[in-house]
Amino acid sequence: MPKIIEKEKKAIIKNEMLRFLSIDGRASIDSISKHLKMPKATTYSIFNEVVKEYGLHFVPEIDLEDIWKHEFIRISKHKSTKREMREEALAKIPELGVEEYITFIKFNKGVPSDEEIMRALSNFTVPQFVAKLHGEEDLVIYEVAKSFYSLNKFLISFSKNLKDYNMLVNTSRIVTTFGFFPIRNELIDELMLSGSAKALLEGLNIDGRGEIKEIAKRFYQKPELLLYTMERLKESGLLKRITYFEAQPKSNINGIIKIAITNESDFLDSRNKWFAELIKMKPDEHLKYVYICDILNPSGILVFVNLSSNEEIDNLLNNMRKVIKGAEISYITMTKTLLGNLGIRNFDMRYSNQYKHLELEGLVPKVQRKEEKIKA
């Protein structure tokens, strides 16, 4: 029988469970119960509650920066001579890997309907996340493209399909520093990975806790091959972890904080203080930060957040303005998601790049990270 737990304590347990699952989304009930030091029956009951309450969808978190390495190996490993390998591999180098971009769009003659926007997005695998905005911009698009040419082709087509609205497009190359956007299976299918790697990633994208034998059956693969592929992708770092996103987050205000760097030296001097604020985890609080990326030109940072009230937005912005120097900080609200999902999760910040940076600087205690092998 599940143990009866008081409401406040149960909320803290759920938060800790969410943090544990953010790092190991395929963790067994036995592993979760040992971590929480609770009976299995109680753990199983709370796990089911959490999945339903937050609408957890378990997915793979993929290291997009490393895809080119796997594609290079894929196109070169079956060549019979070094010259043959070199010539074909070199010919394909511009196509290897993917690049991440963020595009902001402003419509100058009215705003198209959701249906018009979705029609303009169709037939392209580049956009992974699209949301409507309220404020200085009307639309934000997170894109993953094989090349700038692929991105440009998408944006030109999108602009032409909505030409009556006279749009202004602002696109930036980005580097992810925290969090993730779940990527679409249509994009995974375009990558030059092995058939087993694609099948595994697409299957995990459908259900990150699904049984390997079921994924194998769906994609006509051998279970043993998928198990081997999973180990290889995890060891190489391409598959960072199985995690989750919340389809039904408790906080219902999503927004983007823009940090425009005006003085690089002052900003760098204050960066560690900001990182220290980022990594704070309270037992009874859900993480506000969803995704953070550097913008290469102009120099700046975008911070995607999930908040519960206008007061919380004001408090967060005021705190950031006190801590961060050499930058202008502004905020824009997301009003509706049209495509994809935000990677909202209660992440264990001890595994974040920001914590690791502070750890190297000797500003936080060192953590022994023991990310378990991904369960089959």
Side-chain angles (χ1 to χ4, degrees), residues 32-43:
I32 301 170
S33 68
K34 286 178 181 176
H35 176 76
L36 297 175
K37 298 176 181 175
M38 294 194 315
K40 284 186 188 178
T42 306
T43 302

Side-chain angles (χ1 to χ4, degrees), residues 303-334:
V303 183
F304 287 69
V305 292
N306 173 240
L307 304 164
S308 59
S309 66
N310 290 328
E311 183 182 0
E312 192 174 15
I313 295 169
D314 292 339
N315 289 339
L316 180 59
L317 291 174
N318 289 336
N319 190 47
M320 289 178 71
R321 288 178 179 128
K322 286 178 184 176
V323 173
I324 299 174
K325 306 302 179 185
E328 293 179 357
I329 297 172
S330 59
Y331 174 82
I332 189 166
T333 300
M334 290 187 221

Side-chain angles (χ1 to χ4, degrees), residues 4-25:
I4 297 174
I5 302 171
E6 60 185 72
K7 190 175 180 180
E8 288 184 7
K9 186 177 180 182
K10 195 172 189 179
I12 293 173
I13 291 170
K14 286 181 177 180
N15 258 347
E16 183 57 32
M17 182 180 287
L18 285 169
R19 290 191 181 116
F20 188 73
L21 290 170
S22 74
I23 301 302
D24 186 5

Side-chain angles (χ1 to χ4, degrees), residues 280-372:
K280 285 181 180 177
M281 295 188 298
K282 295 182 180 179
D284 58 343
E285 285 187 5
H286 192 287
L287 188 67
K288 302 178 181 70
Y289 303 99
V290 177
Y291 177 80
I292 303 173
C293 65
D294 290 343
I295 302 175
L296 304 185
N297 188 25
S299 182
I301 297 171
L302 295 178
V303 183
F304 287 69
V305 292
N306 173 240
L307 304 164
S308 59
S309 66
N310 290 328
E311 183 182 0
E312 192 174 15
I313 295 169
D314 292 339
N315 289 339
L316 180 59
L317 291 174
N318 289 336
N319 190 47
M320 289 178 71
R321 288 178 179 128
K322 286 178 184 176
V323 173
I324 299 174
K325 306 302 179 185
E328 293 179 357
I329 297 172
S330 59
Y331 174 82
I332 189 166
T333 300
M334 290 187 221
T335 56
K336 186 177 183 180
T337 297
L338 299 179
L339 179 71
N341 294 277
L342 279 172
I344 298 171
R345 57 182 174 173
N346 202 16
F347 191 68
D348 187 335
M349 293 301 285
R350 293 172 300 176
Y351 289 78
S352 68
N353 292 332
Q354 288 77 13
Y355 193 100
K356 291 172 185 176
H357 170 80
L358 294 176
E359 197 176 55
L360 288 172
E361 296 283 323
L363 299 173
V364 292
K366 287 191 175 182
V367 174
Q368 192 71 27
R369 298 174 185 86
K370 294 183 178 180
E371 292 198 52
E372 297 184 29

Side-chain angles (χ1 to χ4, degrees), residues 58-249:
F58 293 92
V59 292
E61 185 177 351
I62 300 169
D63 189 342
L64 296 174
E65 289 187 6
D66 268 359
I67 284 175
W68 73 270
K69 299 176 186 176
H70 294 264
E71 292 186 325
F72 183 87
I73 293 169
R74 172 70 177 163
I75 65 173
S76 63
K77 73 175 186 178
H78 296 303
K79 304 305 160 192
S80 58
T81 67
K82 288 184 179 179
R83 179 175 178 177
E84 183 183 12
M85 179 185 76
R86 185 170 63 249
E87 288 178 352
E88 180 168 341
L90 287 173
K92 286 182 177 285
I93 279 177
E95 301 172 13
L96 296 180
V98 294
E99 298 171 346
E100 296 175 275
Y101 298 87
I102 289 281
T103 296
F104 287 99
I105 292 174
K106 179 67 178 176
F107 298 108
N108 293 313
K109 289 185 178 180
V111 177
S113 68
D114 297 353
E115 292 73 19
E116 288 176 300
I117 294 172
M118 290 305 295
R119 279 198 299 272
L121 291 169
S122 63
N123 301 322
F124 283 93
T125 60
V126 169
Q128 306 302 306
F129 175 81
V130 181
K132 298 180 82 171
L133 305 173
H134 175 72
E136 61 186 30
E137 313 283 0
D138 294 312
L139 210 64
V140 62
I141 307 176
Y142 165 74
E143 300 120 334
V144 179
K146 293 290 290 178
S147 64
F148 182 75
Y149 170 79
S150 299
L151 174 77
N152 207 33
K153 184 179 178 182
F154 158 65
L155 289 175
I156 289 172
S157 174
F158 186 73
S159 299
K160 285 182 177 179
N161 288 334
L162 298 173
K163 61 183 179 181
D164 293 341
Y165 296 93
N166 188 17
M167 71 173 69
L168 180 65
V169 178
N170 183 358
T171 298
S172 300
R173 176 82 166 86
I174 62 169
V175 175
T176 298
T177 59
F178 173 76
F180 80 115
F181 282 95
I183 67 171
R184 299 161 59 200
N185 273 352
E186 291 85 352
L187 175 66
I188 294 174
D189 200 47
E190 284 190 351
L191 302 177
M192 288 185 286
L193 301 175
S194 67
S196 60
K198 286 185 185 181
L200 177 68
L201 294 175
E202 289 182 30
L204 291 172
N205 227 8
I206 295 168
D207 180 6
R209 288 182 69 88
E211 293 186 26
I212 293 298
K213 64 180 181 181
E214 292 302 321
I215 296 175
K217 185 178 179 181
R218 178 191 287 265
F219 291 94
Y220 305 101
Q221 297 282 329
K222 293 182 179 178
E224 311 84 58
L225 178 58
L226 292 191
L227 287 170
Y228 172 75
T229 301
M230 181 180 276
E231 290 296 323
R232 289 294 302 274
L233 293 183
K234 176 65 175 175
E235 288 171 4
S236 69
L238 179 64
L239 179 55
K240 293 174 76 172
R241 59 178 65 90
I242 304 299
T243 186
Y244 64 84
F245 66 83
E246 298 172 12
Q248 299 164 192

